[in-house]
Amino acid sequence: MPSLLPDHRTRGTLLHQAANTINAYLEHLAEWPVVPQFNNAELRRFLEAFEFETPQDNRQILAKVCQAMERWGIHTAHPRCFGLFNPTPAFPGVLADLLVAGYNPQAGAWHQNPFAVETERHLIRYFAKRFALGENAYGHFTSGGSEANTTGTLVALTRRFPDFPQHGLRGLKAQPVFYGSAEFHHSFDKIARQCGLGRSALRQIPVTDADVMDVDALAARIRQDRQAGFAPFMVVATAGTTNAGLVEPLTEIAAVAAQEGLHYHVDAAWGGGVILSDALRPLLAGIEAADSITFDPHKLLSVPMGAGMFLCRQHRWLGDTFGVDTDYVPDSDIDGLDNYRQSLQFSRRFIGLKLFMSLAVAGREAYGRQIERQFEQAQKLAEKLRTEGWHVVNGASMGVVCCVLPDLPENADPGTAYEAIASAVRQSGEAWISTTRLGGRPVIRACVTSYLCRENDLDVLVNALSRARRETLG
Ligand SMILES: *Cc1c(COP(=O)(O)O)cnc(C)c1O
């Protein structure tokens, strides 16, 4: 079918057209409003014109899609998108994703594409070593943090209940339960359902005044659960909480998990990237005691979505959890660690290439320094906000700044007021920020997500916030 593979010349034209458009987009990104104004009816009309009965010209479709990409979505790559961890994509990673789509290697099994599989293994070993997980550590790439957290939960269930792969939860005598703090990531809410545990299996431990897990409360809850006949199997600590970028007390939580014989999973989806920086690495002290780790290169390391990583202390845990025998996959694995027998996925995209190319091009040290700069920008932002009368409540940890107004009018509901302010900032198009609740208190949240963010961008945000505050509160 010529439309699925146009001739050599047309392909060249199309690739140039796509490349030029992306190149221009990245060049002029900062001039765009971060949040374009649009109405959804327009978008629907655009889509309804596609009935897929009459074939259309490749070049026109490409042009229309590029326009749509620029028109109907927040520009997450923008230096003033102070958002939910969607960074400006690292350019070597953009190239990698193009190559992966073009060559379409199958990374599920070694014999299919040794380059893809060995490249990912090389990266897995590299990061396992940096996280100091020991000689037998292993892992794989995932679509993101959610998949990696699911993997951690399944590995934990298998370790704790060896019959689990065979008989499932039905085979257990007691109801399994697991622990995270009230600030842990909501992927676990879905994971509890997806794994058949149910949301009641998820114990949310209260946080301290510092908004991290209260370790004494954790130990007490585990004892209480055991007495009540439940079967605890896993403790999750978060290294870089989504709301506030805080690292929970990793060493203390590890001690409780070890004492109770529970699998210890550290969700470092956001924070894990600091492992590349010599200066920031101590923030993750204690992570080396983890049994497994979630880490998203598509967050702090800025590679295009989706790129997550799951690492664990013993490679055999993965085989115990996911091992299958198939007749249709040739048995030519060099070390018995084929991805399709070690992970949730079967067919597998070569996810690791975008990290491989980005890391190779930038070098570890420069990468680490970039993350340091991003965190410094957040510190600067916190200072600027303080000067403007905001109260920063989280110490600007890991690039995330959470702030409140100490002088809200008596009759104002803080949640409503902050949402009105954040919404006005977004509407101005000058920056994207959001609100959340930290330890139950409403806050405005700004995360320095883009490696392009400069001091001037912080000033634009602070001015937009001040203006929105005057307009909404008078
Ligand atoms: C982002 C994040 C996740 C979820 O990762 P996805 O890549 O969005 O699936 C899990 N945990 C933490 C702490 C996160 O920041």
Side-chain angles (χ1 to χ4, degrees):
M1 233 193 328
S3 42
L4 292 192
L5 189 66
D7 62 44
H8 178 262
R9 231 192 87 192
T10 313
R11 291 199 303 274
T13 313
L14 289 165
L15 281 167
H16 274 117
Q17 190 180 331
N20 288 339
T21 310
I22 291 175
N23 202 13
Y25 179 69
L26 293 176
E27 186 63 22
H28 297 291
L29 186 58
E31 300 155 26
W32 291 79
V34 186
V35 188
Q37 300 294 321
F38 65 87
N39 78 49
N40 202 46
E42 230 174 41
L43 168 56
R44 287 282 171 86
R45 271 198 302 281
F46 168 80
L47 289 170
E48 276 155 15
F50 292 87
E51 291 177 32
F52 310 120
E53 289 303 321
T54 332
Q56 295 187 45
D57 178 67
N58 231 324
R59 222 171 315 177
Q60 276 173 18
I61 295 291
L62 177 60
K64 279 185 191 173
V65 169
C66 289
Q67 277 168 14
M69 289 284 229
E70 295 177 4
R71 179 153 183 203
W72 287 307
I74 293 167
H75 298 295
T76 47
H78 198 289
R80 290 194 300 277
C81 187
F82 295 96
L84 302 173
F85 306 143
N86 295 139
T88 311
F91 195 69
V94 176
L95 294 176
D97 261 2
L98 174 65
L99 295 176
V100 168
Y103 287 94
N104 207 19
Q106 169 63 275
W110 184 88
H111 75 272
Q112 290 274 326
N113 200 299
F115 173 59
V117 171
E118 291 289 348
T119 301
E120 291 193 339
R121 284 179 184 172
H122 182 61
L123 288 164
I124 292 291
R125 281 193 296 266
Y126 177 81
F127 280 93
K129 195 165 170 195
R130 288 205 77 81
F131 283 113
L133 283 185
E135 291 282 285
N136 298 318
Y138 200 54
H140 52 259
F141 281 84
T142 62
S143 58
S146 300
E147 184 194 332
N149 282 341
T150 310
T151 304
T153 307
L154 291 167
V155 165
L157 281 166
T158 304
R159 277 191 72 205
R160 192 78 183 73
F161 313 110
D163 281 347
F164 171 73
Q166 184 63 20
H167 299 295
L169 298 178
R170 284 185 312 159
L172 305 182
K173 292 189 185 63
Q175 191 198 327
V177 290
F178 69 105
Y179 305 82
S181 83
E183 287 292 324
F184 78 168
H185 190 266
H186 283 77
S187 52
F188 283 103
D189 193 303
K190 291 201 268 182
I191 289 164
R193 304 176 220 194
Q194 191 184 347
C195 296
L197 290 156
R199 297 176 69 206
S200 64
L202 187 162
R203 308 299 206 216
Q204 293 200 23
I205 305 302
V207 292
T208 63
D209 290 345
D211 298 304
V212 292
M213 186 189 283
D214 179 337
V215 183
D216 292 335
L218 169 70
R221 185 68 205 257
I222 296 172
R223 277 196 303 276
Q224 186 191 331
D225 277 335
R226 284 203 200 281
Q227 272 160 19
F230 291 103
F233 70 95
M234 170 171 79
V235 178
V236 179
T238 309
T241 57
T242 307
N243 280 333
L246 298 164
V247 180
E248 301 201 301
L250 300 180
T251 305
E252 289 86 338
I253 300 172
V256 174
Q259 193 174 359
E260 296 286 344
L262 306 182
H263 183 92
Y264 182 36
H265 181 76
V266 177
D267 181 359
W270 170 245
V274 308
I275 207 70
L276 293 185
S277 151
D278 294 326
L280 298 174
R281 202 175 159 162
L283 288 173
L284 296 180
I287 201 165
E288 63 284 354
D291 291 314
S292 56
I293 295 175
T294 285
F295 158 51
D296 269 354
H298 69 204
K299 290 181 175 169
L300 261 184
L301 302 191
S302 300
V303 307
M305 286 186 280
M309 199 186 275
F310 176 79
L311 297 166
C312 68
R313 183 168 291 286
Q314 295 291 341
H315 64 74
R316 66 183 156 78
W317 295 346
L318 286 167
D320 292 347
T321 308
F322 297 107
V324 282
D325 281 317
T326 54
D327 294 328
Y328 44 83
V329 183
D331 202 8
S332 62
D333 185 8
I334 46 163
D335 54 10
L337 294 175
D338 264 349
N339 279 322
Y340 80 99
R341 293 202 280 214
Q342 301 280 317
S343 68
L344 278 161
Q345 300 184 23
F346 246 93
S347 288
R348 170 179 277 282
R349 184 182 170 86
F350 183 9
I351 300 168
L353 188 62
K354 43 195 162 189
L355 179 58
F356 180 80
M357 287 178 65
S358 303
L359 199 49
V361 168
R364 198 266 310 164
E365 259 193 285
Y367 232 126
R369 273 202 305 276
Q370 176 52 47
I371 296 167
E372 291 159 27
R373 270 197 296 273
Q374 249 169 270
F375 288 9
E376 282 158 20
Q377 296 290 36
Q379 296 290 351
K380 263 190 222 159
L381 175 61
E383 279 157 36
K384 288 174 191 286
L385 287 169
R386 282 191 200 103
T387 313
E388 289 285 306
W390 294 83
H391 208 98
V392 175
V393 295
N394 72 330
S397 31
M398 291 210 173
V400 186
V401 181
C402 293
C403 62
V404 296
L405 284 170
D407 56 350
L408 271 183
E410 289 239 339
N411 56 354
D413 169 61
T416 314
Y418 298 152
E419 186 44 43
I421 293 171
S423 162
V425 169
R426 292 195 294 266
Q427 292 224 334
S428 75
E430 289 180 287
W432 194 96
I433 51 161
S434 56
T435 59
T436 185
R437 281 177 171 272
L438 182 58
R441 313 181 298 281
V443 296
I444 287 185
R445 176 188 183 280
C447 177
V448 177
T449 322
S450 170
Y451 57 81
L452 297 177
C453 180
R454 300 286 177 268
E455 182 147 8
N456 174 52
D457 298 304
L458 305 177
D459 291 332
V460 173
L461 170 63
V462 173
N463 289 337
L465 270 167
S466 299
R467 198 174 338 110
R469 174 179 163 187
R470 273 197 309 276
E471 284 166 9
T472 42
L473 300 176

